[in-house]
Each structure stands twice: as C-alpha cells, then as structure tokens.
Amino acid sequence: MTFKVTILGSGSAMPTAGKHNSAHILNVYEQFYLIDCGEGTQIQMRKYGINPMKIRAVFISHLHGDHVYGLQGLISTMNFLKRATPLYVFGVRPLEDILDFHIQYFEPELNFEIIYKEINARSSEIIFENKVMEVYTIPLRHRVPSSGFLFKEKHPALNIKKNIPEKYDLTIPQMHALKQGGDIFLQGSEILKNTDATYYPYSPRSYAYCSDTSYSAKVADIVHGVDLLYHESTYLEVDRKLAKQSGHTTALQAAKIAEKADAGRLLLGHFSSRYEDLELFESEARTIFPNTSLAIEGETFEIPVKNYQQF
Amino acid sequence: MTFKVTILGSGSAMPTAGKHNSAHILNVYEQFYLIDCGEGTQIQMRKYGINPMKIRAVFISHLHGDHVYGLQGLISTMNFLKRATPLYVFGVRPLEDILDFHIQYFEPELNFEIIYKEINARSSEIIFENKVMEVYTIPLRHRVPSSGFLFKEKHPALNIKKNIPEKYDLTIPQMHALKQGGDIFLQGSEILKNTDATYYPYSPRSYAYCSDTSYSAKVADIVHGVDLLYHESTYLEVDRKLAKQSGHTTALQAAKIAEKADAGRLLLGHFSSRYEDLELFESEARTIFPNTSLAIEGETFEIPVKNYQQF
C-alpha cells in the first residue's frame, strides 16, 4: 500500500550537482511512475536506488529542456538493459515527434514499445487508470503549453463489518453484493442498508505535481483536498515581477494555492539558481501555510494510509 | 602555456554517479575545448570548475548517445547564460540535423551562432587551426562512423641564441629574418646559418583522444609520438571476443597501440559497467605499457612544457 514520492531533482534552468533538473518518482503500490525527466535523471535514479526498468509510465509536464532532456538517455538505457515491457509516455505535442526523431537516430532497434499518449494542457482530464490509481491533468499557465498531474488513489474495496455476516446469517452472494455497494433483502421485507453493513478501511490518498506555472487560482480547485502538493516556486516574493514575466510562481503564491486547496502538505521546488539560501523559500511559504517542506533531491515523502479503521 | 586534460566522464553505455559518460575538457593556453559530451556533462563541468561559456569548440567522436546526449542541454545553458560567442561543433553527419532539430523545438531564439563543421571518419585530416594548435581527425573502427582527434601544439617561435646579435652586430631586419627561419648574409660572402643562430625554446606537445574503436594498428601510426594518448578500453582481455563483437578495445590492446605509437603516457577509459575493479585495466595495460593511468572523472592530466632550453 505504498504511496510515496522521491525527489530526483528540483532545480530550474541550469542543472548543477545537488541541484538537478525536475524529476520525481511516484511509488504507488510498488508501481513506479516518473514525472518530468531533466538531464541526468537516470543517473539520479541509480544514485537513489530506483531501477529504471521498473518505470511503468513517464509524465512530461511541458517541453522545456530542463523537464525533458533526460528522456532520450533513459530510453537508451532501458533498451541497453533489454527492456521488453511497453513504456507509457504522456505529454503535449510534439513530444511524440521528438521521441521518434531520437529513436530513429539513436535507437533504431528498440526492443520495447513506447506508447505515446498526447495530453492537452487546456482542461483537466483523466489520462491514466489502473486498479488502484487514476491520473488527471492539471492545466497550468506557462510560456508554453504546460500541464500538472494529479495522482489519486482509488477507493479501497468495501469491508463488511465484523459482526454483520453472523448477525444476519448472510450467504456468500449476499456478502458479495454488499462488497459491491448494494443493499440486501433479508427475511420478509427487511432491508440491510449497505451503509449500515460496510465501511472503507481507509481513505484514498493523492499527490499533485504542478510545474511550471504562474500563480493560478484554478489549480487550487482542481487539486482541492490533495494530501501532498508539489508546487513550483522558482522565485521568492521579492522577485514577484520576475516570476510573472517568466511564467513562474513565488513561494508565497505557492503557499496561497496550498491554503486555498486545503492541501495536507506543500512541497516547494524548481528553485532559481539565483538564490543561495533555500530556507528562505520554506520560511516565506510557512507564513501562510505552515506544513511546507523543500523538495530536496534524494528525499522521499511518504503519504501514510489515511483514516485507517475497522469494525 | 597550459596544456592539460580534465576528465569529466569515462564510463560506457549507462551513466551512473561517479561513472559519467565520455567527456574530456582540453585546456590549451586557457582556451577550452570539449571532446564528446555524454549526458550530464554540463553538471560535471560545474562540479569541476569548468565554465561552460569558455568552451570554444566541441568535438564529437560519433553519434552514440553516451557521447552526445549532453550537448543539447549544454547549448540550452549557454543560451540561458546569454552566450554571444559562436560555438564550433565538429562531428560526423547527421549531427547538424540533430542539433537543428533540437534548437528548432527547444531554443528557437538562439543568442549565439553554432558553426557546424562536418568531419569524415575515413581519413586523417586537419579540421581546426589557430595560432597555437592544430587538430587532426583519427579514423576509428566502430559500429558507426567514428573519429578520434589529435590535438597538436604548434612549434613555438624561433629564439635567437643570446650571444648571436652582439657577435655579428645584427640589424633588426636580420634578427627578424632569423626568427622567420631564414639564413643571413653577413659581411662579404659569409653566411650565418639559421640552425647555428636560433633554437626552439621547447617542443610542441600533443594529446590524442581515441574512442570508440576496435583495435586498429593504423591509429598508432597517426598518433605516433603523441605525449598523452587517451584510448578506450571498454573491456579486459578476458572479454576480447565481446570487445571485437561490439567494436571496442581491451586494456591490453590499448597498451599495444600506446607502445606501437611510442606514446609518452596512456590514459584508459570508457570502461564497461560490468567491471567492479578498474585497477584491473591499469595492471593489464601496464604489462605492456608501464606509463598507464585510468581516466577517472575529476582528474586532470597536465602535459608540462617539453624539452625547455635556452642558449
């Protein structure tokens, strides 16, 4: 039931040692997802014990080099390691053309299939779903089409309260019906309401990745109630004008989004290399949203099982 | 009069922390040249104090990802830092198409000119020259067209031996003629031979980069007398068959080239990730060529001024 994010990089523009470009690894039930892929991402994966072969899907927020330059190297390494499993790649146009171009020159004999899924950066849509998770896009405001991603754990299966089967002498089909969310007809006209007989053992968890973007209140609505919100904060409030001009956000603005979204926790990243002391980002954001942390590369942020209960 | 090489990476195929892909920085008289540019090269430059803006020219040996994937990121960083100086890029076709493709998508407003110089990997030719250095290609044998590079310091200007001007009461024009390599007519029919009056204060230095390649005796002829020879040794002799199949060289074969070329010193690199203990490469090569070192990233190999003399 793992649900955690490992930061491989959260520096903006020029990558440097210790300040690699954007790349997050989301581990959901031991399935691995890569969000953005700056130069050196595969090197960071090795450094922090992430096996590139375990990546199921890659989500690219937008086509600026510091978010995508590591992808061709990662694909070459997967091919070198004889990957056979298909790799899903989500991104805006013309990411597919760019990948095809590289593959044609550098990996003409690709051992595995790349399943490209074009996303649009204008509306929030579901783009991926499996048994335990759904992924939605988050329209962002940047100099080029840019989309965040909201990863939502699905509701767990309903459990039947301990005493119920014996109390009502339920049959297997009846218990199955309850687990599917249905009510049960008992003797005569009596009805056993599903809500009286079942419960969710825990609440679904969620993680949102929002980079790159200007301050956008709409983002708060889309990610409302998210447990862990990663929001870019390229600049400090003192450089707010610069942030607006370049399509980025300040730490204070990111905190406003987290507060408006009633997020559980805020992660700041995509720091401009102009700032020496990153603590300033944390302290600025905490004036509005106390539960703020810096997305320092190599750190992992786990979202523990929520509202665990049993009857 | 600096002439030194800094190793930014010498790992093959998959890059990992501490084993970055191929990239060497050659510093000749404080002019910087980049040879190959694997993923993460710009990050390594920062780590080892090389300013990307100081790179005058880039030499790409061949179009395999582990030798070129870092170039697009480096170009983006140069643009981000507002480079105005043209950048020379030497490589085989279709490197220009690949660069143009990237620039069109990722740096449509490039502040500086990229002057692409196509090289052929079939014959040794001079491809670059300035006041102090000449660069020649070295045809290599690999799975794709591959070329090494020989960097040769030019002969220094002739010096006139201390006692000569006074002894023969030389005029300025006569001394100028001597420095140009000419003989001088003295009183009557007497001739002052240039060789008796002048000397070279030191001998030109040279560095050769040979990667990727199978064992090729021709390389030894082209780089004969080189002071510092970097030769790939992807495998150990025990895996000689693998080396041949994949178009690579063993440490022992690299040592044979160094011996045949009468090189001053051998640097081994492009090590396969299959080997834990790199010392084995050094010891294997030293059985034939004792002055062998490993091209470990972060290390700098200086070629001191040779045969310094004055009269």
Side-chain angles (χ1 to χ4, degrees):
Chain A
M1 308 247 302
T2 318
F3 199 101
K4 62 184 181 184
V5 181
T6 297
I7 312 300
L8 299 181
S10 56
S12 71
M14 292 176 298
T16 58
K19 288 183 178 178
H20 283 79
N21 283 154
S22 296
H24 288 197
I25 295 286
L26 178 64
N27 173 339
V28 179
Y29 293 57
E30 297 311 315
Q31 296 285 305
F32 292 76
Y33 306 92
L34 172 62
I35 306 137
D36 278 344
C37 188
E39 181 175 359
T41 293
Q42 64 168 322
I43 298 166
Q44 292 290 87
M45 279 188 194
R46 291 293 184 187
K47 184 174 179 182
Y48 297 113
I50 310 287
N51 180 352
M53 300 298 266
K54 283 195 168 182
I55 303 296
R56 291 277 161 273
V58 180
F59 299 85
I60 301 295
S61 62
H62 65 296
L63 298 183
H64 278 161
D66 59 327
H67 293 254
V68 70
Y69 278 170
L71 191 50
Q72 65 192 94
L74 179 62
I75 289 170
S76 288
T77 288
M78 288 173 169
N79 203 34
F80 180 81
L81 296 174
K82 303 271 180 283
R83 179 184 179 114
T85 319
L87 178 71
Y88 286 84
V89 176
F90 296 82
V92 297
R93 294 189 60 205
L95 179 56
E96 183 175 26
D97 302 341
I98 293 168
L99 291 180
D100 288 348
F101 182 87
H102 284 131
I103 289 162
Q104 149 205 337
Y105 280 121
F106 293 104
E107 300 298 336
E109 289 162 15
L110 199 64
N111 306 315
F112 63 99
E113 186 184 7
I114 292 179
I115 301 168
Y116 173 74
K117 300 281 190 182
E118 183 181 328
I119 63 175
N120 88 71
R122 295 175 303 282
S123 58
S124 180
E125 299 171 350
I126 183 166
I127 55 171
F128 179 89
E129 179 178 17
N130 64 15
K131 282 184 180 172
V132 299
M133 179 177 73
E134 291 173 335
V135 183
Y136 297 81
T137 53
I138 306 167
L140 301 175
R141 288 170 44 197
H142 196 44
R143 306 195 301 277
V144 297
S146 184
S147 172
F149 301 101
L150 175 60
F151 300 83
K152 295 176 72 169
E153 184 180 24
K154 284 184 177 176
H155 260 296
L158 284 166
N159 282 4
I160 299 173
K161 295 177 180 175
K162 263 211 179 65
N163 61 327
I164 296 292
E166 197 177 28
K167 180 175 177 185
Y168 296 97
D169 191 21
L170 298 181
T171 63
I172 298 294
Q174 285 176 315
M175 289 198 282
H176 181 73
L178 282 172
K179 285 187 171 181
Q180 299 306 309
D183 299 335
I184 298 296
F185 286 92
L186 303 168
Q187 318 302 14
S189 62
E190 197 182 351
I191 289 179
L192 173 59
K193 282 204 170 324
N194 189 281
T195 49
D196 300 331
T198 68
Y199 67 98
Y200 286 115
Y202 57 87
S203 306
R205 295 163 288 180
S206 57
Y207 159 71
Y209 177 94
C210 303
S211 184
D212 293 352
T213 184
S214 303
Y215 175 83
S216 164
K218 282 184 191 162
V219 167
D221 301 333
I222 296 169
V223 304
H224 197 273
V226 70
D227 295 301
L228 182 62
L229 169 63
Y230 171 81
H231 196 290
E232 76 132 278
S233 60
T234 309
Y235 295 97
L236 291 171
E237 191 63 13
V238 64
D239 293 317
R240 187 174 183 156
K241 275 188 180 173
L242 266 177
K244 193 170 185 182
Q245 285 162 13
S246 56
H248 289 298
T249 311
T250 70
L252 198 75
Q253 291 173 325
K256 283 180 185 167
I257 298 288
E259 184 193 34
K260 194 170 186 302
D262 194 21
R265 183 177 189 177
L266 172 63
L267 286 184
L268 298 177
H270 203 262
F271 310 111
S272 163
S273 55
R274 70 177 49 216
Y275 306 107
E276 289 284 317
D277 179 11
L278 296 185
E279 297 304 320
L280 294 172
F281 286 85
E282 199 171 64
S283 51
E284 180 172 294
R286 284 182 172 174
T287 59
I288 288 182
F289 194 83
N291 196 8
T292 300
S293 304
L294 301 177
I296 302 299
E297 62 185 60
E299 288 204 13
T300 294
F301 299 89
E302 180 136 27
I303 307 175
V305 172
K306 265 173 66 183
N307 311 323
Y308 178 76
Q309 56 183 347
Q310 59 186 132
F311 297 91
Chain B
M1 308 244 302
T2 318
F3 200 103
K4 61 184 179 183
V5 181
T6 297
I7 312 300
L8 298 181
S10 56
S12 70
M14 294 176 297
T16 58
K19 288 183 180 178
H20 283 80
N21 282 154
S22 295
H24 287 197
I25 296 285
L26 179 64
N27 174 338
V28 179
Y29 292 59
E30 297 310 316
Q31 296 285 305
F32 292 75
Y33 305 92
L34 172 62
I35 306 136
D36 278 343
C37 188
E39 181 174 0
T41 292
Q42 65 168 321
I43 299 167
Q44 291 290 87
M45 280 187 195
R46 291 292 184 188
K47 184 173 180 182
Y48 296 114
I50 309 287
N51 180 351
M53 300 298 266
K54 284 196 166 180
I55 303 296
R56 290 277 160 272
V58 181
F59 299 85
I60 300 296
S61 62
H62 65 295
L63 298 183
H64 278 160
D66 58 328
H67 294 254
V68 71
Y69 278 169
L71 191 50
Q72 64 191 94
L74 179 62
I75 288 170
S76 288
T77 289
M78 288 172 169
N79 203 35
F80 180 80
L81 295 174
K82 303 271 182 281
R83 179 185 180 112
T85 320
L87 178 72
Y88 286 84
V89 176
F90 296 82
V92 298
R93 294 190 60 206
L95 179 56
E96 183 174 25
D97 302 342
I98 292 168
L99 291 180
D100 288 348
F101 182 88
H102 284 131
I103 289 162
Q104 148 205 338
Y105 280 120
F106 292 106
E107 300 298 336
E109 290 162 14
L110 200 64
N111 306 315
F112 63 99
E113 186 185 7
I114 292 180
I115 300 168
Y116 173 74
K117 300 282 190 181
E118 181 180 328
I119 62 175
N120 88 72
R122 294 175 304 282
S123 57
S124 182
E125 299 170 350
I126 182 166
I127 55 172
F128 179 88
E129 179 177 16
N130 63 16
K131 283 185 179 173
V132 298
M133 180 177 73
E134 291 173 335
V135 183
Y136 297 82
T137 53
I138 306 167
L140 301 176
R141 287 169 45 196
H142 195 43
R143 308 193 300 277
V144 297
S146 184
S147 172
F149 302 100
L150 174 60
F151 299 84
K152 295 175 72 170
E153 184 179 25
K154 286 183 176 176
H155 259 296
L158 283 166
N159 281 5
I160 299 172
K161 295 177 179 175
K162 263 211 181 64
N163 60 328
I164 296 292
E166 198 177 27
K167 180 175 176 186
Y168 297 98
D169 189 21
L170 297 179
T171 63
I172 299 294
Q174 285 177 316
M175 288 199 283
H176 181 72
L178 282 173
K179 285 188 171 182
Q180 298 305 307
D183 299 335
I184 299 296
F185 287 92
L186 302 170
Q187 318 302 13
S189 62
E190 198 184 348
I191 289 179
L192 173 59
K193 282 203 169 329
N194 190 278
T195 48
D196 299 332
T198 68
Y199 67 97
Y200 286 116
Y202 56 88
S203 306
R205 295 163 287 180
S206 57
Y207 159 70
Y209 177 94
C210 303
S211 185
D212 292 357
T213 185
S214 304
Y215 175 83
S216 164
K218 283 183 192 163
V219 167
D221 301 332
I222 297 169
V223 304
H224 196 273
V226 69
D227 296 300
L228 182 61
L229 169 64
Y230 171 79
H231 197 291
E232 77 133 278
S233 60
T234 309
Y235 295 97
L236 291 171
E237 191 64 11
V238 64
D239 293 316
R240 187 173 184 156
K241 276 188 180 173
L242 265 177
K244 192 168 186 183
Q245 287 162 12
S246 56
H248 289 298
T249 311
T250 70
L252 198 75
Q253 291 173 325
K256 284 179 185 168
I257 298 288
E259 185 192 35
K260 194 170 185 303
D262 193 21
R265 182 178 189 178
L266 172 64
L267 287 184
L268 298 176
H270 202 263
F271 310 111
S272 163
S273 56
R274 69 177 49 216
Y275 306 106
E276 289 285 317
D277 179 10
L278 297 185
E279 297 304 322
L280 294 173
F281 286 84
E282 200 171 61
S283 50
E284 181 172 293
R286 285 181 171 175
T287 59
I288 288 183
F289 194 82
N291 196 7
T292 299
S293 304
L294 301 178
I296 302 298
E297 62 184 61
E299 289 203 12
T300 294
F301 299 88
E302 180 136 26
I303 307 175
V305 172
K306 262 173 67 183
N307 311 324
Y308 177 75
Q309 56 184 345
Q310 59 188 132
F311 296 91

